[in-house]
């Protein structure tokens, strides 16, 4: 007997038939003798419907009342799933975030979980019930309803699994696991059996949208084994865990990429202490997040300063930089929105040199010019022109032999 | 400055534009210096949408999870109305039944209010906020969500007004008050300025659907002045209060009627002690409520026994009575579903004789045969063939001069 926390997202519960299919799946686990806590999202489309209602009243709706409104989405799902389970002879009880009590801070629309009351859930599990909990929501110390921000249901599931010390937290999605790269780009992309929390974090922050970053951070922090599975077809999915011996064979786990970035360069910047602060401080004031940052070596007292932002923030950042250029007597600001970021991710990089040079070599052979480079312990990211994205990802996937299982690979760098 | 509890029903908040209109109305009261607590129902159509979702999962859905589901309907409305108020510069805060805390028993789908926590509402009112509360719902001592049954939002409003000792409880509906009778049947039906709780109770239980019976009982018990008004047009509405001197002029306040009943008669019943119990006990076992009951004077040791039930229960009652007839060796059972009940209601009946005979006289003159009669302290009901319903109501409305204000009336019975 294991104790499992499962999370089903919006498309998995998008219609009564889908909810019945989830109930069948959950009952299967119960029949095998497992204890199950289920976390669900709002039915797909429901959150948008509620937001439209709010916007009809107030186009800038946010804050406390938006959370009161949006939290009804998951509440509908928990009731329907509990009914479906009961109808299958599977005793179940639903709880909202307030009821179970998922205590959060008071940051409406983007609250953080502080504590989870376990008594209620434990009592129900011991009474042989499935516990169905509304994801994405909680309650602050004053009893006000909060939400964790979009996609926060993953975080609810992981936090519950951590608090209740579940054996595994299973995230059911519309994909059957984490892949070496996006199968829509690379035909022979391979589903990973296992991946480390760190790698998954890099993959997620680099554009792989399988899991919410916060949920992976949470799982890593509390060492909750996390499994990504398909709610539509059977299979083992991908297990996300701490690094262990079985993973050592793989240098590279996957290739993540993103088209969401844009590049801004200020040229002819007087190379004085504090220029990075003056440039990035102006951007930070606009609440724009900066991703990669490169400052060129200085020549004749002048330097170039380049960074990337989310493509949606490009216009605002550009407008602000034009002012900054004048203020600091720099030459000019140039921008590029047609870029893409490609990242190799793998814990094996820690113990093996030469991955970066192999990567650059492969890209050079394909005629792909590298615009920016950034590295961390377990990842190498490059920015290239967007038009080379697919070509570059396919070439790297081939060169590092990712379509094959690590044990069959011969992927030692030949730098 | 007055302290008012207002309740807006489903059609009053049926669309974002309607919610904005309610916000305008509420703000008007706040601007006049009043303290306002607003109770709202689910947007019209929403409860049915949720019930359809539940029925897609379980055609017999009820119990705990149905309440978790249905309570989201009002939760959506409280959030939207609070947003609309805030946008008008009118500070507002929403509460679900669980949050405010409307404590009920644990009878899911038809819970009764036991207690209301006043601290939260008082604190908000003192901070200058409008408090917006979800009607129809509460929470039991264990923290489970309950609902009061359909239409229970009126009861929520009255219970809040009673607990908080509000100056008035205003129920906004799609009619502009309580009428002497249904204006769709009698053209010159007149809106009543005032009516007593007792009269309103009789009107409601006799088919006038302006207010829920339980809310009127509650208001009467705690002496909460209750006002029925239109949410679509301005006007004083009808005030429902304790009896006082200004009401003594009216003998009759109104005429209620219902087409919802059906009549069943067992003939040739041996006139022995216990026959009423044997007949009605069999009906009670089926959970069918009996309204009017008449037992004829015995002739040659045999009697007839007649009663009415809701028309929806007629077939089941008839089937059961056929067995009862055999068991007690009575002659036969005959039924009639084409009947209507017409009732004169008025506290003035207590002090004036002759109303009943005037009523019977009017009906006789019009050729309307009376099938059954039942009286109470403040009402006289008759059952007639359904085809005479409109004719009878109009004749009585005329005869008792109800189109005119009591002070202008000459309605002393001329029996």
């Amino acid at each position: 007997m294991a104790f499992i926390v499962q999370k089903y997202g919006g498309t998995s519960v998008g219609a009564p038939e889908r909810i019945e299919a989830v109930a069948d799946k959950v009952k299967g686990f119960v029949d095998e003798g497992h204890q199950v806590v289920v976390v669900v999202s709002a039915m797909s489309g429901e959150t948008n419907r509620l937001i439209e209602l709010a916007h009809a009243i107030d186009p800038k709706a946010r804050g406390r009342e938006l959370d009161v409104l949006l939290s009804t989405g998951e509440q509908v799902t928990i009731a329907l799933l509990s009914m479906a389970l009961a109808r299958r002879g599977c005793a179940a009880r639903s709880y909202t975030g307030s009821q179970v009590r998922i205590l959060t801070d008071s940051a409406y629309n983007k609250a953080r979980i502080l504590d989870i009351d376990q008594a209620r859930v434990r009592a129900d599990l011991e009474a042989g019930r499935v516990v169905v909990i509304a994801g994405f929501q909680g309650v602050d110390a004053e009893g006000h309803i909060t939400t964790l921000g979009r996609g926060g249901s993953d975080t609810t599931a992981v936090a519950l699994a951590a608090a209740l010390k579940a054996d595994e937290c299973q995230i059911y999605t519309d994909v059957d696991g984490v892949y070496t790269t996006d199968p829509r780009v690379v035909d022979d992309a391979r589903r990973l059996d296992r991946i480390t929390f760190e790698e998954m974090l890099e993959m997620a922050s680099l554009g792989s949208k399988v899991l919410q970053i916060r949920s992976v951070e949470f799982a890593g922090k509390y060492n909750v084994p996390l499994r990504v599975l398909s709610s539509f077809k059977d299979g083992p999915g991908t297990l996300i865990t701490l690094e262990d011996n079985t993973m050592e064979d793989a240098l590279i786990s996957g290739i993540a990429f993103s088209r969401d970035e844009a590049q801004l360069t200020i040229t002819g910047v007087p190379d004085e202490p504090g220029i990075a602060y003056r440039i990035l401080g102006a951007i930070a004031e606009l609440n724009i997040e900066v991703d990669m940052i490169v400052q060129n070596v200085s020549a004749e007292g002048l330097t170039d300063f380049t960074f990337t932002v989310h493509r949606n923030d490009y216009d605002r950042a550009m407008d602000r930089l034009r002012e900054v250029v004048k203020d600091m007597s720099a030459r000019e600001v140039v921008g590029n929105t047609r870029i893409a970021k490609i990242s190799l991710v793998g814990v094996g990089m820690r113990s093996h040199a030469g991955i970066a040079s192999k990567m650059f070599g492969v890209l050079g052979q394909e005629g792909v010019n590298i615009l920016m480079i950034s590295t961390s312990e377990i990842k190498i990211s490059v920015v290239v022109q967007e038009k080379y994205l697919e070509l570059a990802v396919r070439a790297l996937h081939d060169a590092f032999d990712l379509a094959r299982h690590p044990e069959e690979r011969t992927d030692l760098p030949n730098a």
Side-chain angles (χ1 to χ4, degrees), chain A:
Chain A
M1 188 191 84
F3 169 26
I4 309 166
V5 174
Q6 303 187 327
K7 180 259 173 175
Y8 295 89
T11 44
S12 306
V13 294
E17 315 81 79
R18 293 295 317 142
I19 292 173
E20 307 226 36
V22 168
D24 288 335
K25 208 179 249 294
V26 171
K27 183 170 190 297
F29 281 89
V30 172
D31 288 347
E32 285 170 14
H34 302 305
Q35 290 187 317
V36 186
V37 170
V38 185
V39 174
V40 287
S41 302
M43 296 169 76
S44 54
E46 179 65 6
T47 301
N48 285 335
R49 186 184 75 87
L50 293 168
I51 288 176
E52 271 171 36
L53 274 174
H55 285 180
I57 299 278
D58 181 355
K60 290 176 187 164
R62 55 195 186 81
R64 183 184 188 280
E65 299 304 335
L66 188 62
D67 284 354
V68 173
L69 181 71
L70 295 185
S71 62
T72 63
E74 295 78 34
Q75 190 170 333
V76 167
T77 319
I78 57 173
L80 294 176
L81 179 56
S82 301
M83 285 176 192
L85 284 166
R87 213 166 170 232
R88 282 159 178 75
C90 192
R93 195 171 264 180
S94 76
Y95 293 105
T96 63
S98 309
Q99 282 181 305
V100 80
R101 178 166 186 261
I102 296 177
L103 184 72
T104 71
D105 59 24
S106 302
Y108 297 119
N109 315 155
K110 51 178 182 189
R112 283 183 171 263
I113 296 175
L114 301 177
D115 192 27
I116 293 180
D117 188 358
Q118 305 173 34
R120 197 141 219 178
V121 180
R122 289 213 183 277
D124 280 318
L125 289 174
E126 253 135 64
R129 295 190 191 103
V130 173
V131 180
V132 182
I133 296 176
F136 170 73
Q137 57 183 249
V139 63
D140 75 2
E142 304 290 309
H144 302 304
I145 295 169
T146 57
T147 70
L148 310 180
R150 282 200 107 159
S153 291
D154 289 359
T155 307
T156 303
V158 173
L160 275 162
L164 296 162
K165 300 190 175 44
D167 296 308
E168 193 169 288
C169 180
Q170 303 179 336
I171 309 283
Y172 288 84
T173 69
D174 46 8
V175 297
D176 67 347
V178 180
Y179 275 70
T180 50
T181 195
D182 189 336
R184 285 168 300 188
V185 170
V186 178
D187 285 341
D188 56 0
R190 188 175 54 82
R191 184 182 53 73
L192 295 162
D193 293 328
R194 304 182 69 156
I195 186 172
T196 68
F197 292 119
E198 285 170 291
E199 289 171 323
M200 192 63 224
L201 268 181
E202 293 284 5
M203 297 287 274
S205 63
L206 295 168
S208 166
K209 300 200 174 59
V210 177
L211 284 174
Q212 290 294 315
I213 290 175
R214 271 168 67 190
S215 67
V216 181
E217 284 173 354
F218 222 104
K221 187 170 169 190
Y222 295 99
N223 191 18
V224 175
L226 196 60
R227 191 181 290 276
V228 176
L229 310 99
S230 164
S231 55
F232 298 94
K233 60 178 187 180
D234 291 336
T238 298
L239 183 64
I240 307 161
T241 59
L242 288 181
E243 194 173 345
D244 69 16
N245 292 335
T246 67
M247 290 171 175
E248 284 195 0
D249 294 333
L251 288 176
I252 305 298
S253 288
I255 304 174
F257 57 85
S258 160
R259 291 182 175 88
D260 292 337
E261 308 209 11
Q263 189 184 43
L264 295 128
T265 302
I266 301 195
T267 62
V269 182
D271 192 2
E272 300 158 358
I275 60 146
Y277 174 75
R278 285 175 66 188
I279 296 171
L280 297 181
I283 298 301
E285 278 169 14
L286 300 175
N287 267 321
I288 293 174
E289 276 189 53
V290 169
D291 181 22
M292 290 167 78
I293 304 168
V294 174
Q295 183 176 342
N296 274 5
V297 176
S298 170
E300 298 170 15
L302 295 176
T303 187
D304 297 343
F305 193 93
T306 303
F307 60 92
T308 61
V309 298
H310 195 282
R311 213 171 273 186
N312 294 344
D313 295 325
Y314 175 77
D315 288 340
R316 285 194 305 142
M318 181 57 98
D319 289 347
R320 186 73 187 87
L321 282 196
R322 291 213 177 90
E323 299 164 17
V324 172
V325 161
K326 279 186 211 151
D327 293 349
M328 59 177 18
S329 307
R331 192 179 308 131
E332 62 171 346
V333 50
V334 292
N336 184 0
T337 59
R338 312 302 289 169
I339 60 165
K341 184 168 71 167
I342 301 171
S343 309
L344 291 190
V345 176
V347 288
M349 286 186 205
R350 283 201 190 111
S351 45
H352 286 87
I355 309 247
S357 55
K358 175 168 174 176
M359 181 184 193
F360 305 153
V362 170
L363 295 176
Q365 275 164 26
E366 300 291 336
V368 179
N369 192 28
I370 297 172
L371 306 179
M372 291 175 86
I373 298 171
S374 148
T375 61
S376 79
E377 250 196 301
I378 64 162
K379 127 199 132 180
I380 307 163
S381 297
V382 296
V383 169
V384 300
Q385 289 183 67
E386 188 179 2
K387 64 180 174 181
Y388 291 126
L389 176 64
E390 288 85 356
L391 170 69
V393 170
R394 283 178 202 135
L396 291 168
H397 202 267
D398 266 1
F400 285 95
D401 211 11
L402 296 184
R404 274 202 278 179
H405 198 275
E407 286 165 16
E408 304 161 17
R409 252 183 238 167
T410 54
D411 60 353
L412 285 180
N414 52 3

